[in-house]
Every structure is written in C-alpha cells, then in structure tokens.
C-alpha cells in the first residue's frame, strides 16, 4: 500500500504532467477546427447554459418551442457552461475548455490513484498515459458532453478515499462525499458511487467498527444533501422523482451485443471485423471477471482494499445500468458512452496488475502495455483529424446549410422537421407533429403530442395565419406534408425547403 520511496518514483511527477498535457492537447486539437462535436444532448446543454447565463435556471426549449425545467439531465454541466457564457465565451467553446482540462485532470488523478493502490510509481505512469490517450475518452471529451468532468470527479473521490486507509479521520470521507455530490449533479450515474463508497468503508476490517460507521456517515452526510435537494426540486415541479416511466423486462440479446461492442472499442476501432471485436470483448470481459474473483477470494488481505474499492464501484455502476434497463428505460443500450465510466477502473486495475508481474510475465506485460499505449495514441491522433471537421450539428452539413441560413432570416414562428439546429442558434423553433417525432427533453422517445394527427390539423389552421415550416433533408415525405397542411414552397435548396401556408402566402 505504501508508495515507492521518493528516490525510485522521482520520475512519476514528470510522467503524470506529460500525460495530462498530452490529454489536454489531444482534446484541444480536436476542437479547434470546427469546434467540439454537438449531439442532440449537446443542444440541450447549450440551450440550458444560455438560460443559466440569463439567470433563469436549468431551462431548455421543448418540442413546442416553450421553455421547461430540464430534469432528464442534472444541472451542473449547463450551469458551468452558463458561467463561461457570462465570461464572454460561447457555450460550445466553454464546453471544449472544460472538457479538455477535465480530461487532463482525469489522466493525472487516475495515475495518482494507480500509484496509491499499488504502491508502484510504474503503475501510476502506465495508468496516466493509457487514460490520457484512450480513444474513447478523447472522443467524448471532444464533444459537448458530460463524461469528462464526471470521470474526473469520480476519480478524484476514489483517490481521496484511498488515502483514508492510511490516514483515517473524517476529512477524507467528507472530501470524497463532496466530490461524489458534484458527480451526481453532473450525471445521475454518480448515484452508483454514492452507494458504493460507504459500502466499501464499512467493509474495511482493519478499522474499528465505530470508526468505519463514523466515516461512512460523514461521507453520506457530505454526498447526499445536494442530489437530494435536486430530487426535491424535480418533485416540486413534476410531482415525480424521475422523468422516466416504469417498465419491467429482462435485457435482450441486443443489450448483450451492445455491451460487447462497447468493451471492444476500448482496444480496437469500431470498424474492425466483427469476429475480432467479439474476441476482444470476450478477452477483456474475462480478464475483468478473473480479477474480480481474485479480489473477492483475497478480500481479507489489507493490500486488496483498493482492489475491492474498484470492484465495488464497478459492480454498483453495472447494477445501476442493469436496473435502469430492466425497470426504467428499456430503450437504453450499454453503448460506449454508457460503459465509459468502467474504463478508468479497468486501466487502474491493468496498471496495478502489470506492476505485480515478475520475470518473463513482466516483460510480456510490458510489451502489451507499450502496444496499447502506442496503438491508443495512434487511434486518438487519427480521431482528432476526423473531429476537426466537426461532427453532429457542428459538421459542414449544418454549418454550411443554405436551408438553415434562410430559416434564420424568417420572421414569425418556425416549425421544423428537426428544430435542434435552430435551437442551437438561439431560435425557439417548434417540432412538426410527425409520427416518430420525440421530445428531446424526455427519455424513452416520448412523443410531444397525445395525438399527432390532431396536432397536425391544429397546425394547418395556424399556418393558414402565418409561420414557416423548415424541412431539412428533402425526401418524399415533404410532398405528403404539403398536401396535408396545405403548404406551398417558399424556397428550395439542395438540403431542404422552406414552406408556408397557401392561404397566408396568398394574402401577401
């Protein structure tokens, strides 16, 4: 448990600093071209950030063009972006800077965590570098998404709590609790850490029961109030604790394939042949299960306490995802973004295991680590070149869209086949009531209208008085829409059309 003597580990600070710098530069390089990637979730964060900056709180634009409290996502990330907006930054730019520094902090914290867990400076160096150049971590840090700061907060909480094993007292549990509270305000996945860390504290045999109970109570007392207050706010505004609806059903084969795919992308590109990805997923999952069995069998050994911490956290997070799939959100798949919180835990365990190898096995492990490090760096550099052109709503398709540019110049209400590109630019566009349209502020693909056919009839009457329909990505459905809503083409472009009501156009 004790780290190596200072003389043996004197290179570790330099390696940690270099890893953090590499992490920072990779993300900044990815986002300094067209800006960070912007997904549908990102639009909500950016929209909410503007409302935060205006002093209105965690509000965002729904499918009806109205503002409503955002409860599907916690408020910390858009609040921080809103603070950046007050400082003169665009929300997307603030997100890029926040994520870049968070990814750098993650590399540093994971390296320190591996060092503290194993007592070996080499383990810290390996873990820091592998997480800094991990393609999945770099990818999500380069989008306007919440993962990077969340991972940094949870890694910091684990690092602080591991120190409690040596020092005892109440300050470290309190500090870890505050970090977990912030993690819960960044992503609801933080509840797994809220449950796992006091459980681990109570399971430490080297401490008196009274000390363990006091430390666990201090942790919970520091971690619980903030997420509990947020739940009270949700209840007061919606008369429910969560925006999801109750469901019951076992995971399907699709969930299993999605999980295997997500694990495989830690090591090989998504475009790799299916047999290769399946083999990698099985090997990685097998290695993690083997490590879990080893830790459980030696759980009474004090040197296994950090390993037990990693195992309990990983188990609680896996249980949280499983419960969400089975009881709350059947549409949720364990995609790479959902599985990403397991990656830092796995890398700490890998570095720890490598530091314990001896003889030929150590050289074989060294070759594997070098291969992973070089391969991950190469993949991340290639990924950076792809991200620089922009992805999602920052891609050329939307940056240079003539339909979008023309729509932004239209007076009056706008109704769009996809209102998010307009909302991203500060225009509260409304969604067209089409079959399959979802409310982005709600999970499970909830429709914004109880009856879409009735909503279209009402929209036809509104468009007869005025307004403009923005149709992106021209296809055959636009002709059906014209006939049903009595629309005529105001302007046509390669990527869409602007439509207005026939009666409203005739009056002009």
């Amino acid at each position: 448990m004790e780290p190596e003597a200072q003389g043996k580990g004197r290179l570790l600070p330099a390696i940690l600093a270099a890893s953090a710098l590499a992490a920072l530069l990779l993300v900044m390089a990815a986002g300094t071209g067209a800006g960070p990637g912007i997904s549908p979730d990102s639009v909500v964060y950016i929209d909410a950030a503007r409302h935060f900056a205006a002093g209105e709180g965690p509000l965002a634009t729904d499918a009806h063009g109205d503002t409503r409290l955002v409860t599907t996502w916690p408020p910390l990330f858009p609040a921080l972006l809103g603070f950046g907006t007050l400082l003169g930054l665009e929300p997307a730019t603030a997100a890029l800077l926040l994520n870049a520094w968070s990814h750098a902090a993650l590399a540093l914290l994971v390296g320190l965590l591996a060092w503290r867990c194993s007592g070996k400076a080499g383990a810290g160096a390996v873990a820091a570098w592998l997480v800094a150049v991990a393609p999945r971590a770099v990818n999500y840090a380069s989008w306007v998404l919440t993962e990077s700061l969340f991972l940094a907060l949870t890694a910091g909480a684990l690092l602080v709590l591991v120190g409690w094993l040596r020092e005892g007292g109440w300050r470290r549990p309190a500090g870890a609790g505050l970090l977990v509270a912030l993690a819960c305000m960044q992503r609801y996945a933080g509840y797994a850490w809220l449950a796992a860390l006091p459980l681990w504290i109570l399971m430490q045999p080297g401490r008196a029961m009274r000390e363990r109970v006091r430390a666990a109570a201090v942790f919970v007392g520091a971690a619980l109030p903030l997420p509990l207050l947020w739940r009270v706010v949700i209840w007061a505004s919606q008369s429910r604790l969560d925006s999801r609806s109750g469901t019951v059903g076992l995971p399907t084969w699709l969930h299993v394939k999605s999980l295997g795919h997500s694990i495989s992308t830690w090591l090989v590109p998504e475009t790799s042949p299916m047999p290769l990805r399946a083999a990698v997923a099985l090997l990685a999952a097998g290695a993690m299960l083997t490590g879990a069995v080893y830790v459980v069998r030696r759980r009474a050994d004090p040197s296994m306490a950090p390993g037990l911490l990693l195992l309990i956290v990983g188990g609680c997070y896996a249980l949280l995802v499983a419960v969400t799939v089975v009881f709350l959100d059947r549409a949720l798949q364990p995609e790479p973004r959902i599985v990403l919180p397991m990656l830092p835990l796995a890398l700490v365990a890998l570095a720890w295991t490598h530091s314990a190898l001896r003889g030929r096995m150590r050289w074989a492990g060294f070759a594997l680590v070098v291969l992973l490090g070089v391969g991950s760096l190469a993949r991340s550099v290639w990924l950076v070149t792809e991200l620089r052109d922009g992805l999602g709503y920052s891609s050329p398709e939307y940056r240079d869209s003539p339909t979008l540019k023309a729509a932004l110049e239209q007076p009056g209400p706008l109704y769009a086949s996809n209102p998010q590109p307009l909302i991203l630019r500060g225009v509260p566009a409304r969604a067209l009531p089409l079959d399959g349209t979802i409310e982005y502020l709600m999970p499970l693909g909830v429709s914004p209208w109880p009856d879409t056919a009735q909503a279209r009839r009402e929209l036809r009457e509104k468009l007869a008085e005025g307004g403009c329909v923005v149709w992106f990505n021209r296809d055959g459905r636009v002709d059906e829409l014209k006939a049903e809503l009595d629309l005529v083409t105001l302007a046509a472009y390669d990527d869409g059309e602007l439509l207005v009501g026939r009666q409203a156009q005739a009056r002009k």
Side-chain angles (χ1 to χ4, degrees):
M1 279 298 299
E2 290 297 327
E4 288 177 340
Q6 186 175 359
K8 294 183 179 180
R10 61 181 179 272
L11 291 179
L12 180 60
I15 296 174
L16 293 181
S19 299
L21 180 61
L24 177 70
L25 292 178
L26 282 170
V27 177
M28 291 301 297
T32 51
I38 299 177
S39 70
D41 287 2
S42 305
V43 175
V44 178
Y45 300 140
I46 291 172
D47 190 24
R50 295 192 180 112
H51 287 283
F52 264 112
E56 299 169 351
L59 303 177
T61 306
D62 65 11
H64 302 285
D66 302 321
T67 55
R68 59 183 293 179
L69 183 69
V70 179
T71 58
T72 301
W73 297 274
L76 179 61
F77 188 60
L80 294 174
L81 301 191
F83 179 73
T85 302
L86 291 176
L87 296 178
L89 298 173
E90 287 294 325
T93 302
L96 177 64
L97 292 173
L98 177 61
N99 284 352
W101 284 102
S102 295
H103 185 52
L106 176 65
L108 178 64
L109 292 168
V110 167
L112 291 173
L113 179 61
W115 175 48
R116 286 295 184 186
C117 287
S118 65
K120 301 295 180 63
V126 166
W129 178 253
L130 289 181
V131 78
V133 300
R136 276 296 165 197
V138 172
N139 176 58
Y140 288 120
S142 304
W143 289 70
V144 182
L145 293 173
T146 60
E147 277 66 26
S148 297
L149 179 57
F150 174 78
L151 294 177
L153 289 169
T154 53
L158 295 181
L159 177 62
V160 170
L161 201 55
V162 166
W164 174 78
L165 286 175
R166 296 184 298 109
E167 300 178 6
W170 60 271
R171 290 184 178 84
R172 287 186 175 273
L178 290 175
L179 289 172
V180 169
L182 292 175
C184 291
M185 291 295 95
Q186 179 74 358
R187 288 191 64 201
Y188 291 136
Y191 292 133
W193 279 253
L194 181 57
L197 299 194
L199 176 62
W200 175 78
I201 291 173
L202 293 173
M203 292 178 63
Q204 297 312 303
R207 299 281 179 179
M209 177 57 71
R210 177 178 297 181
E211 183 181 4
R212 284 181 275 163
V213 171
R214 182 176 61 182
V218 168
F219 173 86
V220 173
L224 188 58
L226 193 56
L228 182 61
L229 176 62
W230 176 240
R231 288 297 169 184
V232 170
V233 170
I234 294 176
W235 178 266
S237 64
Q238 298 186 347
S239 298
R240 58 194 301 178
L241 290 177
D242 197 284
S243 56
R244 290 176 170 84
S245 301
T247 60
V248 178
L250 294 176
T252 64
W253 177 240
L254 182 60
H255 289 93
V256 176
K257 290 194 295 183
S258 179
L259 176 61
H261 166 74
S262 300
I263 293 176
S264 72
T265 57
W266 292 353
L267 300 174
V268 296
E270 292 185 75
T271 55
S272 300
M274 176 66 76
L276 175 61
R277 285 186 285 132
V280 168
L282 288 174
L283 287 173
M288 287 188 289
L289 289 175
T290 301
V293 171
Y294 179 78
V295 169
V296 169
R297 294 182 63 179
R298 297 189 57 194
R299 62 187 180 277
D301 185 346
S303 66
M304 286 293 106
L308 186 62
L309 175 62
L310 300 178
L311 177 59
I312 292 176
V313 169
C316 285
Y317 181 68
L319 180 62
L320 176 66
V321 174
V323 168
T324 302
V325 170
V326 173
F327 295 106
L328 296 175
D329 192 345
R330 291 283 293 154
L332 180 69
Q333 294 290 333
E335 60 184 13
R337 186 181 174 192
I338 299 297
V339 179
L340 187 64
M342 303 289 284
L343 179 58
L345 306 179
L347 290 178
V348 171
L350 174 64
W352 186 359
T353 302
H354 172 261
S355 69
L357 297 177
R358 294 292 181 269
R360 294 181 179 178
M361 289 297 297
R362 184 172 181 81
W363 284 107
F366 177 76
L368 175 62
V369 166
V370 170
L371 180 63
L372 289 176
V374 174
S376 295
L377 177 61
R379 288 175 57 201
S380 290
V381 170
W382 177 86
L383 179 65
V384 164
T385 62
E386 182 181 51
L387 289 167
R388 285 180 60 83
D389 290 333
L391 290 176
Y393 294 128
S394 66
S395 66
E397 175 186 356
Y398 288 98
R399 292 201 317 270
D400 304 327
S401 168
T403 300
L404 180 57
K405 292 178 181 178
L408 293 173
E409 298 174 356
Q410 295 300 311
L414 295 178
Y415 302 86
S417 58
N418 180 4
Q420 287 209 308
L422 293 159
I423 294 173
L424 177 63
R425 289 157 178 80
V427 178
R430 301 156 174 82
L432 288 172
L434 305 173
D435 294 334
T437 300
I438 63 173
E439 173 56 76
Y440 284 112
L441 301 188
M442 296 288 289
L444 290 172
V446 176
S447 173
W449 307 275
D451 186 339
T452 54
Q454 176 62 30
R456 284 197 296 272
R457 289 191 290 269
E458 295 174 357
L459 178 58
R460 175 171 177 156
E461 297 176 1
K462 293 179 182 178
L463 291 172
E465 301 298 324
C468 179
V469 171
V470 184
W471 187 271
F472 293 104
N473 301 323
R474 298 176 65 180
D475 57 41
R477 289 193 303 163
V478 69
D479 295 327
E480 299 176 8
L481 187 71
K482 289 180 182 178
E484 185 173 0
L485 299 185
D486 193 24
L487 301 174
V488 295
T489 299
L490 178 65
Y493 306 93
D494 291 339
D495 66 332
E497 295 185 45
L498 300 185
L499 312 170
V500 294
R502 187 184 304 276
Q503 297 181 35
Q505 183 71 0
R507 285 196 296 271
K508 294 182 179 179

